[in-house]
Amino acid sequence: MQGLMMEMPLLISSILQHAARHHGDTEVVSRRIEGDIHRYTYLDCERRARRLADALTKSGVAMGDRVATLAWNGYRHMELYYAVGGMGAVIHTINPRLHPEQIAWIVNHAGDRHLAFDITFLPIVEAIAPLCPGVESWIAMIDPDRQPVSDKIGSLVNFERLLKSGSPDWVWPEFDERSAVGLCYTSGTTGNPKGALYSHRSSVLHAFGAALPDAMGASARDVILPVVPMFHVNAWGLPYVAPLVGAKLVFPGAQLDGASIYELFETEKVTYSAGVPTVWLGLLAHVKQKGARFSTLERTVIGGSACPPAMIRTFRDDYGVDVIHAWGMTEMSPLGTLARLQNRHLDLPPEQQQKILEKQGHVIFGVDMKIVNDEGEALAWDGSSLGDLLVRGPWVVREYFKGEGGDPLRYDAQGRGWFPTGDVATIDPQGYMQITDRSKDVIKSGGEWISSIDLENLAIAHPAVANAAVIGVPHPKWDERPLLIVVKRAGVELTRDELLKFYEGKVAKWWLPDDVQFVDSIPLGATGKILKTRLREQFADYRLPGL
Ligand code: ADP
């Protein structure tokens, strides 16, 4: 027997319609490439998104067509999310920090028909336009009086002029909620990048899950500033979450330095933010140097790579800001787990609470997880058994775009598919998951695993260390041993032995790095994460002392 409730498809357009109708005067504020601060409301945003959708329809964009963006976080990017997705086409957000050749490859692989870009990225567009014959128009997201000219780009269109050619009477269509809405390519550390193709259903369910109090916990009382870019897994869903709950949105545009972000936090009374750890290093350094405080900021989601415990402590103890440590991946839309305290933890002493908050956290309803050994057998949730982390859920990929890489899933005895995350983790009896490493970054010494994340976190807690990374280097007896690579803070002295002494008593003796190498900078990937592949190349000829 079937239930007798309405079949209303879960479509992302309904999120913006809800915001326009029920939070119509709530603001969306953007720092623009033009140099000013732009502000309007969800009502304005929805109206412009509809005009844009009509304009795109008139220019031939149909259901399932891909429209790409190379853009910062801003209101026009938000309008594209909803116009393109809402009309049944697919918004393909591209990371502009990738190499132009890789961007061209992605554009062609995705079959993008149009590409909208912030004019910061004009040089990239000029470089890739001749390589991407399938792109019919290149849409500059800028006021018409600032429209660039270029003889290298065939069809260069202005975003505002395009939008004006659409009618505000256009109506959002209803269609199958399983239709594709967004396309994001993984960073492609091994081989070519692969596309995760989100559906309306998966995106709406993810937004619901993300908004839950023990997940991101957003509400209409919040002012949300996503520092995490809209080209990094949809800014972790925040452009959907904020209108869903009716929170004010603040977009930082191209200025992601500590001073600019801090200024927006204060002037717009931001309560909530999100970004990768490297972003907050810059912000905290700025705030410390100025002796400033956060007047309204209450909490920030930090994820994408392990958040150093020292950062969680600094935010809480020095600035009264709660860090919500989160874990996820492109293939998971991206949210999987978040570390929040539960009722049973409230009476624990602060150090024990801190230990829980340092973990990658508890799943949100909608995601299931398990850890398995090499034979695929499920391991105990005892907080110490280490295994490959597998997940399943309605916002986890089933396969990659165009079937790239074949069937990625592993099947259990019931024939249910699980997605292998490539992470190695423990799960404690209360269901809190902790990542020790990516499987390819794990250091195997004498048959036992050493966590590079733990060693990095300890190094970063040293006051003279600005950034640190640990990689495994070959050792004839132990197979691999950890090498600590460190960037010192400007103007401070620090020796190898001082740093190694700092580890004593904090980790098992055999975990101690065998050597320390000081460098000027550590290579970061397109999403601000440490590029271990590059580091391993850089240190390919390195030999441990005494070998
Ligand atoms: P992107 O950053 O583009 O989403 P991926 O999807 O490749 O790139 O990144 C997902 C991976 O990032 C995870 O599998 C995990 O290894 C790592 N990661 C994400 N969040 C965390 C976290 N909080 N702690 C440790 N590792 C994390």
Side-chain angles (χ1 to χ4, degrees):
M1 189 188 290
Q2 296 236 310
L4 295 174
M5 309 310 280
M6 287 189 193
E7 296 258 340
M8 199 177 127
L10 301 174
L11 300 175
I12 58 110
S13 54
S14 60
I15 296 179
L16 191 58
Q17 286 181 85
H18 168 82
R21 200 166 155 77
H22 302 284
H23 303 279
D25 58 357
T26 298
E27 279 186 316
V28 178
V29 179
S30 310
R31 196 194 284 281
R32 302 203 306 167
I33 304 292
E34 286 88 336
D36 56 352
I37 298 282
H38 173 275
R39 46 182 84 237
Y40 71 174
T41 64
Y42 279 127
L43 196 63
D44 303 321
C45 178
E46 195 263 351
R47 208 172 281 155
R48 275 175 52 98
R50 267 189 294 119
R51 286 189 82 166
L52 183 58
D54 186 45
L56 289 168
T57 310
K58 283 179 178 145
S59 61
V61 176
M63 290 270 307
D65 282 350
R66 271 79 67 202
V67 176
T69 60
L70 273 171
W72 301 109
N73 293 3
Y75 67 105
R76 290 185 181 117
H77 204 173
M78 172 102 167
E79 289 161 8
L80 278 159
Y81 262 52
Y82 282 95
V84 173
M87 67 191 282
V90 179
I91 178 92
H92 171 207
T93 48
I94 305 176
N95 188 333
R97 296 184 189 129
L98 295 171
H99 192 274
E101 260 173 39
Q102 205 172 15
I103 295 180
W105 185 92
I106 290 176
V107 167
N108 291 330
H109 188 269
D112 296 326
R113 288 190 59 189
H114 302 271
L115 188 147
F117 63 100
D118 273 322
I119 59 163
T120 330
F121 306 120
L122 184 65
I124 300 180
V125 170
E126 289 187 321
I128 66 170
L131 307 174
C132 304
V135 177
E136 293 157 37
S137 74
W138 304 84
I139 307 165
M141 297 159 70
I142 191 87
D143 284 347
D145 60 347
R146 301 271 303 271
Q147 176 73 4
V149 279
S150 170
D151 54 10
K152 300 199 181 76
I153 305 168
S155 170
L156 188 53
V157 173
N158 179 262
F159 181 93
E160 293 298 331
R161 288 200 199 106
L162 173 72
L163 188 143
K164 288 223 164 59
S165 70
S167 160
D169 299 329
W170 190 82
V171 180
W172 298 109
E174 276 201 5
F175 45 80
D176 188 340
E177 64 183 20
R178 292 166 301 178
S179 308
V181 66
L183 179 62
C184 249
Y185 280 74
T186 59
S187 0
T189 38
T190 49
N192 278 326
K194 296 195 276 293
L197 187 63
Y198 311 119
S199 67
H200 282 262
R201 177 184 153 79
S202 72
S203 303
V204 173
L205 289 175
H206 177 267
F208 267 122
L212 288 173
D214 284 335
M216 285 193 173
S219 86
R221 291 172 295 287
D222 278 315
V223 179
I224 303 181
L225 187 153
V227 181
V228 52
M230 289 166 77
F231 55 76
H232 186 190
V233 215
N234 297 324
W236 302 346
L238 287 171
Y240 298 129
V241 171
L244 183 140
V245 298
K248 172 176 162 180
L249 255 178
V250 183
F251 287 128
Q255 284 166 246
L256 298 175
D257 59 289
S260 306
I261 297 282
Y262 177 76
E263 185 191 300
L264 275 185
F265 276 172
E266 291 300 302
T267 53
E268 298 303 326
K269 301 190 170 32
V270 170
T271 59
Y272 196 118
S273 193
V276 296
T278 40
V279 162
W280 303 123
L281 284 177
L283 179 85
L284 286 174
H286 169 80
V287 175
K288 189 165 185 202
Q289 190 211 343
K290 296 276 171 211
R293 313 280 317 157
F294 297 108
S295 335
T296 52
L297 188 68
E298 293 167 9
R299 56 212 194 284
T300 180
V301 176
I302 301 186
S305 51
C307 179
M311 186 176 278
I312 302 180
R313 244 176 274 129
T314 305
F315 263 116
R316 196 192 52 208
D317 298 346
D318 299 353
Y319 299 102
V321 174
D322 285 331
V323 167
I324 304 169
H325 189 196
W327 167 84
M329 57 198 310
T330 308
E331 289 90 335
M332 298 179 70
S333 306
L335 283 180
T337 64
L338 299 101
R340 312 288 308 253
L341 296 180
Q342 299 176 358
N343 184 270
R344 60 174 123 199
H345 304 132
L346 299 181
D347 293 331
L348 291 177
E351 317 83 70
Q352 284 184 42
Q353 291 184 342
Q354 162 83 14
K355 285 279 161 239
I356 295 163
L357 296 173
E358 286 170 9
K359 296 191 177 200
Q360 275 69 16
H362 213 268
V363 291
I364 317 171
F365 167 74
V367 175
D368 196 7
M369 67 179 174
K370 63 178 177 181
I371 42 173
V372 299
N373 61 17
D374 287 346
E375 283 70 49
E377 294 156 352
L379 297 175
W381 290 20
D382 55 12
S384 60
S385 301
L386 274 177
D388 290 326
L389 181 64
L390 309 187
V391 290
R392 64 194 308 264
W395 57 78
V396 179
V397 292
R398 176 177 79 221
E399 62 178 89
Y400 289 102
F401 186 47
K402 295 187 171 169
E404 214 62 59
D407 181 358
L409 304 187
R410 296 211 202 137
Y411 294 87
D412 61 19
Q414 286 75 38
R416 293 188 188 127
W418 291 77
F419 181 81
T421 63
D423 288 321
V424 178
T426 61
I427 305 176
D428 73 18
Q430 297 177 345
Y432 284 76
M433 184 273 287
Q434 183 156 28
I435 305 263
T436 45
D437 254 313
R438 285 191 177 207
S439 48
K440 45 190 177 295
D441 293 338
V442 111
I443 299 161
K444 219 157 188 192
S445 174
E448 301 276 355
W449 284 350
I450 296 176
S451 161
S452 65
I453 293 181
D454 281 359
L455 294 179
E456 286 158 9
N457 283 342
L458 278 169
I460 287 167
H462 191 288
V465 171
N467 206 356
V470 173
I471 56 170
V473 288
H475 189 283
K477 177 164 178 207
W478 302 110
D479 219 8
E480 271 187 336
R481 290 295 304 158
L483 168 68
L484 172 60
I485 300 160
V486 167
V487 182
K488 277 189 258 193
R489 276 192 201 286
V492 291
E493 287 301 317
L494 177 68
T495 64
R496 167 189 186 278
D497 292 342
E498 278 165 8
L499 194 49
L500 290 180
K501 207 157 173 44
F502 185 68
Y503 276 95
E504 279 175 18
K506 299 190 176 101
V507 288
K509 237 185 164 142
W510 63 276
W511 273 42
L512 276 185
D514 279 28
D515 195 16
V516 181
Q517 291 281 301
F518 292 102
V519 292
D520 293 335
S521 68
I522 286 179
L524 299 180
T527 50
K529 303 185 195 187
I530 294 174
L531 260 189
K532 296 248 174 125
T533 41
R534 183 80 52 78
L535 268 183
R536 281 192 280 265
E537 281 163 24
Q538 243 168 277
F539 285 87
D541 296 330
Y542 168 86
R543 294 286 166 270
L544 285 169
L547 291 184

